[in-house]
Amino acid sequence: MRPAADTAAGVLDAYRVREEPYYRPVADEVALFEAAYSARMPMMLKGPTGCGKTRFVEYMAWKLGKPLITVACNEDMTASDLVGRFLLDASGTRWQDGPLTLAARHGAICYLDEVVEARQDTTVVIHPLTDARRILPLEKKGEIVQAHPDFQVVISYNPGYQSLMKDLKQSTKQRFGALDFNYPEHEVEAEIVAHESGVALDAAKKLVHIAEHARNLKGHGLDEGISTRMLIYAGSLIARGVAPLAACRVALVRPITDDPDMRDALDSAVTTYF
């Protein structure tokens, strides 16, 4: 019989981050997360769409040498999708762990991306794992999983995009430490865009100027500003020979608004720099 440690390593092998993800620290978030992990403190990453929250988690999983199981939360996700369910196969009925149970049982970081997209009756299943108990009751199976010493829960969400009907309960929020994320300072963001897309630094700086212009319009015609992710898309197109005006139209302007006047305003901002 294989030792438990070997079995866990095999189960989680597919979830290991093999190569160092590129992440540019902007403050003390790396040191704070390392301290939180050493205490196995559940962590909440708060910030706008496309500002680097997911990349940060991937980087920290690599740096800590821990497997990372990511769940993209959505409104149709049930508690069974997280913890597991009984399945029928040729041999009969068998239990299959969900991603949360897999992480808790074998010792991985479980990352719930955009957690508020899930129903509140689904997210409450993480409560016993995010306090001193560190357990996960599997009611359908009649089992209580004691969290592995390496297990940690990390969640992310965009607080500026949530309505009162779509927010985390205080009983959930207060179980987590929190790190605020935002778009980096101009020079840092340009460095990130140039590195990730392969575009020249000068062009990357122009793209960041356009994004900063759009972000100032948030709440004044735009629901969301242009994210760092979108800038990398635009830079990637430019690096592949697409004309800057066309690249910005495809990757920056058209995705975030259908309003003709707002599109004209953003197109004008693009022509200012390109």
Side-chain angles (χ1 to χ4, degrees):
M1 185 174 180
R2 295 175 64 189
D6 291 345
T7 303
V11 169
L12 296 177
D13 194 57
Y15 298 100
R16 296 193 177 277
V17 182
R18 304 291 179 186
E19 298 180 1
E20 179 181 0
Y22 176 76
Y23 179 76
R24 173 67 158 77
V26 297
D28 57 354
E29 69 272 22
V30 172
L32 287 172
F33 191 95
E34 285 182 315
Y37 182 79
S38 69
R40 301 304 185 264
M41 180 189 299
M43 290 300 292
M44 173 167 51
L45 312 182
K46 303 165 68 174
T49 300
C51 70
K53 300 187 296 294
T54 298
R55 178 61 64 88
F56 172 73
V57 177
E58 292 172 346
Y59 173 75
M60 293 309 305
W62 173 84
K63 187 173 176 64
L64 294 166
K66 303 302 177 186
L68 175 65
I69 298 178
T70 300
V71 180
C73 298
N74 61 80
E75 61 186 9
D76 295 323
M77 189 172 70
T78 66
S80 293
D81 291 327
L82 278 180
V83 302
R85 53 170 54 90
F86 282 105
L87 300 176
L88 287 172
D89 61 18
S91 302
T93 303
R94 64 180 178 86
W95 173 265
Q96 178 171 296
D97 283 343
L100 182 64
T101 306
L102 191 66
R105 192 187 299 278
H106 298 289
I109 297 172
C110 186
Y111 175 47
L112 305 180
D113 189 18
E114 296 297 342
V115 69
V116 294
E117 295 298 326
R119 301 197 308 258
Q120 288 186 340
D121 62 337
T122 298
T123 56
V124 295
V125 302
I126 68 177
H127 283 191
L129 283 168
T130 51
D131 57 28
R133 293 171 292 174
R134 282 177 62 86
I135 61 172
L136 179 60
L138 304 179
E139 295 179 2
K140 293 181 179 179
K141 194 182 179 190
E143 178 187 0
I144 294 179
V145 176
Q146 185 69 49
H148 189 284
D150 291 346
F151 170 74
Q152 184 191 33
V153 176
V154 181
I155 64 175
S156 72
Y157 80 110
N158 178 358
Y161 191 63
Q162 309 307 328
S163 67
L164 291 175
M165 296 298 291
K166 265 196 167 183
D167 199 1
L168 289 177
K169 293 180 177 181
Q170 282 296 327
S171 60
T172 301
K173 288 181 179 180
Q174 294 186 20
R175 295 168 184 271
F176 290 81
L179 291 173
D180 284 330
F181 284 73
N182 210 329
Y183 302 119
E185 296 293 328
H186 182 94
E187 294 297 325
V188 174
E189 188 167 22
E191 178 187 322
I192 292 169
V193 172
H195 180 278
E196 291 291 89
S197 68
V199 75
L201 183 60
D202 181 60
K205 290 181 177 180
K206 293 178 180 179
L207 291 171
V208 174
H209 277 301
I210 295 166
E212 291 169 343
H213 176 84
R215 291 165 191 167
N216 290 332
L217 296 175
K218 184 178 178 181
H220 302 280
L222 286 181
D223 294 328
E224 279 287 326
I226 291 173
S227 69
T228 306
R229 181 191 297 124
M230 296 173 73
L231 296 182
I232 293 170
Y233 289 161
S236 297
L237 292 177
I238 295 171
R240 285 160 176 75
V242 177
L245 293 179
C248 291
R249 185 170 62 249
V250 169
L252 304 183
V253 179
R254 298 302 180 263
I256 64 170
T257 181
D258 294 316
D259 181 83
D261 293 334
M262 186 57 64
R263 284 185 170 188
D264 288 343
L266 293 175
D267 283 338
S268 296
V270 172
T271 56
T272 299
Y273 296 101
F274 287 108

